[in-house]
Amino acid sequence: MNILIIAAKEIHQAIRNRWVLAATLLLAGLALSLTFLGSAPTGNVGVRTLDVVVVSLSSLTIFLVPLIALLISHDAIVGEMERGTMLLLLSYPVARWQVLLGKFLGHLAVLAFATCLGYGAAVGALAATGSQIDSDSFLAFAAMVGSSVLLGAAFVAIGYLISALVRDRGTAAGICIGLWLLLVLIYDMALLGVLALDQGRSISAAALNAMLLANPTDAYRLINLTGFANVSTFAGMAGLAQTSSLTIPVLLSALLGWTLLPLGLAALAFSRREL
Amino acid sequence: MTSTVRVSDVTKAYGRVEAVRGASFALGQGELVALIGHNGAGKTTLMKLMLGLIRPTSGAIEVLGDNPAAGEFAGRRQLGYLPENVSFDPALTGRETQAFYARLKREPVAKALDLLDAVGLGAASRRRVSTYSKGMRQRLGLAQALLGAPRVLLLDEPTTGLDPELRQTFYDIIARLAAAGTTVLLSSHALTELEERAGRVIIMNRGIKVADGSIDELRRLARLPTRIRLKVAGLAPSEMPPWAPADATCRRLNGHIVEIDAAPERKIELLHRATAAGNAVEDVDVVPPTLDELYAHFLRQSEQAP
């Protein structure tokens, strides 16, 4: 009950602050432009447009959704402490973990709404312009939207953990930007560099899999680019998809773990926190 | 009298600084207690300890049957708190804020919104909190603290930013609640305001409780002189009346007023002497030591003690 009251308030605030509007418009705008501009080089002959959209949109999601998630979450605990609103909230009959979980549900709902509506606009536009959408493509698209929300959940949880640990908002923001750069950009480049140097001598396939699972964005990428045969041909990942032992359930549980573990640690850090 | 709040030998240290040192007291039902002390004396720390926002380094606290340090919060439904410099989410309106807090306390929202009128927020309650002045935020803070029927009210500097009229209303509400059995703990700098209202005063200095009792008890303990002001006719500017005792401090205030510091037990004797001297005395004023003076006295005393 308390959790839902707090979640409802977070959603209310996000609507008031135009977070919902901004995130939805941003995602819809990018999804629509990718849908129509992205199909220009391939043309429309013989190619199932929605599959191309899944490939390009999921690449975009890796940059954008974690960023939006960290933006709304980094401030959740330390920001409310700095503004003084947390002091009053915690004098009410609510447990701290309920506050955290309520905020999580609220922020997740905002993110899910923006993603579903924003990306849904792309499908709607395709259908409206008369593109054929078969059920395989639609399934891949739905999985992409679902896993995007899960990726967002993981980064919201990571943002909370940072927010629960640091002393002030500026530090939280700084660490979040650093983490975003690391996980979204640097990690893959470094991994690629290491693999190129190693030439397959000491890094086993299992070690590589572990390294891919250690980054939520890589787990997300693999779900969408290798998970569906119709999509992986366009992603140039068909070969990888056949050899990789990382199945969809494994990848999904990695993302889930990336959500639950930081969330649990954030709850622990928050419960120890003095204010 | 059952106690609602019990603080037993509580110490709270931040690193090497001890914000509260070995404080013990119990607050009873229906008591209106003033917690006074200058900035950094440990008033806010004590309230935060009672709310479980921070944990004591040693000692135990019990609030409405809960141990707040262990994260127990069942009793908080019957607890109201107004923090110093209260702040709210700027994007929501006053009504939305009040409704949110009412839901958390499982209070009917309609009744909670009536409180907004009671604190004089009225029309402004439909505006966003970001447009509020300090006084209006303070009113909203009061309204949320009064939600439900609190059995314990912790008010940290509640009257800062309130205009005199609302101050009066505020003290009326508090007095009514205390009469109905609510324990009110109130910290303030406005000592003159508290003097007539608080049934009990706790004075803190550097984290240590230096005095605790009703104002009369504190006056007895402090043994500060009562000032007797007499308007005496026909005295030369620097002359003292002949009946003034040699061992009491006398001073001339202006034209005809003589002020004598009287030890508590000599008050009556002095008045007798003054009136026995005939009709030279035109008027008399007896000023007992004020809370301000008592506060200063106990502070001085605690500074001198090792």
Side-chain angles (χ1 to χ4, degrees):
Chain A
M1 185 64 188
N2 280 339
I3 299 172
L4 292 181
I5 295 171
I6 291 169
K9 178 183 166 254
E10 285 299 326
I11 295 170
H12 192 170
Q13 262 180 299
I15 295 171
R16 219 15 103 62
N17 288 330
R18 308 217 162 78
W19 260 113
V20 178
L21 189 71
T24 311
L25 285 182
L26 181 68
L27 290 178
L30 287 165
L32 285 173
S33 47
L34 277 181
T35 307
F36 293 107
L37 299 176
S39 62
T42 53
N44 282 330
V45 188
V47 172
R48 287 180 300 187
T49 354
L50 194 58
D51 291 346
V52 180
V53 170
V54 169
V55 173
S56 46
L57 258 190
S58 58
S59 307
L60 180 80
T61 304
I62 288 171
F63 289 90
L64 215 54
V65 168
L67 193 64
I68 296 175
L70 288 174
L71 272 177
I72 47 181
S73 65
H74 80 274
D75 176 75
I77 294 167
V78 75
E80 280 222 36
M81 281 185 182
E82 262 183 30
R83 286 189 294 273
T85 45
M86 191 62 91
L87 201 64
L88 192 55
L89 181 58
L90 293 184
S91 78
Y92 275 76
V94 284
R96 295 191 183 189
W97 65 267
Q98 291 174 329
V99 172
L100 193 78
L101 208 58
K103 280 176 170 289
F104 179 74
L105 288 183
H107 284 154
L108 192 61
V110 169
L111 209 62
F113 178 84
T115 313
C116 291
L117 211 71
Y119 288 179
V123 185
L126 277 182
T129 52
S131 299
Q132 281 299 314
I133 298 172
D134 61 32
S135 59
D136 278 354
S137 303
F138 191 76
L139 193 67
F141 185 82
M144 193 268 289
V145 173
S147 56
S148 299
V149 174
L150 196 56
L151 179 69
F155 276 89
V156 168
I158 292 169
Y160 285 170
L161 178 57
I162 294 166
S163 197
L165 287 173
V166 300
R167 285 271 142 228
D168 58 281
R169 287 168 73 191
T171 317
I175 293 176
C176 280
I177 291 172
L179 201 69
W180 179 80
L181 280 173
L182 177 74
L183 292 180
V184 170
L185 295 171
I186 299 170
Y187 191 89
D188 283 356
M189 278 195 271
L191 192 58
L192 214 60
V194 168
L195 287 178
L197 281 177
D198 187 62
Q199 299 282 347
R201 279 191 295 267
S202 53
I203 296 175
S204 65
L208 176 63
N209 283 345
M211 283 189 270
L212 288 174
L213 290 180
N215 182 345
T217 60
D218 279 328
Y220 171 84
R221 201 191 312 265
L222 288 173
I223 290 174
N224 287 293
L225 299 188
T226 67
F228 296 86
N230 48 334
V231 174
S232 58
T233 37
F234 294 115
M237 295 271 225
L240 182 61
Q242 279 147 21
T243 52
S244 173
S245 59
L246 295 175
T247 57
I248 294 243
V250 174
L251 293 166
L252 279 180
S253 30
L255 271 186
L256 209 61
W258 269 105
T259 309
L260 296 180
L261 190 68
L263 200 60
L265 289 176
L268 192 70
F270 185 33
S271 71
R272 305 296 309 161
R273 193 82 189 246
E274 302 212 320
L275 71 167
Chain B
M1 191 171 61
T2 39
S3 52
T4 47
V5 176
R6 250 190 302 275
V7 173
S8 334
D9 199 20
V10 164
T11 296
K12 173 66 190 172
Y14 291 104
R16 286 171 58 198
V17 184
E18 288 184 323
V20 173
R21 273 185 279 177
S24 296
F25 53 84
L27 307 181
Q29 232 170 5
E31 269 195 301
L32 179 46
V33 185
L35 185 61
I36 63 180
H38 47 221
N39 300 328
K43 296 171 297 186
T44 301
T45 306
L46 270 174
M47 290 199 184
K48 285 184 174 179
L49 284 165
M50 291 173 196
L51 290 162
L53 297 170
I54 50 179
R55 288 177 296 276
T57 311
S58 67
I61 298 170
E62 194 189 306
V63 177
L64 292 168
D66 287 339
N67 173 10
E72 293 170 3
F73 56 83
R76 273 197 237 146
R77 271 190 67 179
Q78 293 173 305
L79 182 143
Y81 172 52
L82 173 62
E84 191 181 4
N85 303 322
V86 64
S87 55
F88 302 98
D89 289 307
L92 302 182
T93 68
R95 291 172 72 87
E96 286 162 353
T97 305
Q98 180 77 349
F100 167 67
Y101 287 122
R103 284 188 203 105
L104 282 181
K105 276 197 177 163
R106 310 283 188 274
E107 287 296 323
V109 172
K111 229 172 90 189
L113 294 180
D114 289 343
L115 279 172
L116 295 177
D117 293 327
V119 297
L121 207 56
S125 66
R126 289 172 195 281
R127 296 208 327 248
R128 289 192 193 191
V129 174
S130 56
T131 66
Y132 282 17
S133 66
K134 164 95 177 93
M136 284 155 84
R137 278 206 307 276
Q138 196 70 9
R139 287 168 193 239
L140 182 55
L142 279 179
Q144 64 78 28
L146 299 175
L147 273 172
R151 284 178 57 207
V152 172
L153 261 180
L154 304 177
L155 307 169
D156 204 350
E157 308 281 345
T159 54
T160 40
L162 294 187
D163 45 55
E165 189 199 341
L166 190 68
R167 250 166 226 244
Q168 196 57 52
T169 324
F170 163 74
Y171 280 116
D172 288 347
I173 297 175
I174 297 302
R176 211 171 328 126
L177 283 169
T182 303
T183 305
V184 182
L185 181 67
L186 187 147
S187 85
S188 182
H189 286 127
L191 301 187
T192 29
E193 273 179 23
L194 294 174
E195 192 161 334
E196 313 135 39
R197 283 146 178 142
R200 179 175 161 198
V201 178
I202 295 176
I203 301 177
M204 300 285 297
N205 184 35
R206 301 188 188 193
I208 299 175
K209 186 181 86 170
V210 296
D212 181 356
S214 72
I215 295 206
D216 284 337
E217 280 164 5
L218 295 189
R219 280 189 183 128
R220 264 202 305 282
L221 279 174
R223 299 196 40 78
L224 288 179
T226 296
R227 277 181 314 223
I228 298 177
R229 284 180 186 166
L230 301 151
K231 195 171 173 190
V232 186
L235 273 188
S238 59
E239 196 188 352
M240 290 296 169
W243 41 262
D247 54 343
T249 322
C250 302
R251 41 185 177 267
R252 293 293 297 265
L253 288 187
N254 55 21
H256 349 262
I257 294 180
V258 178
E259 190 179 81
I260 305 172
D261 290 345
E265 69 279 357
R266 296 195 60 188
K267 217 158 46 181
I268 301 295
E269 181 208 328
L270 255 165
L271 285 172
H272 272 306
R273 280 194 193 212
T275 44
N279 50 10
V281 176
E282 292 173 346
D283 197 6
V284 64
D285 248 337
V286 179
V287 189
T290 62
L291 187 51
D292 264 314
E293 289 161 331
L294 287 169
Y295 173 56
H297 168 82
F298 282 107
L299 237 49
R300 241 186 347 260
Q301 199 179 49
S302 76
E303 294 291 327
Q304 280 157 5

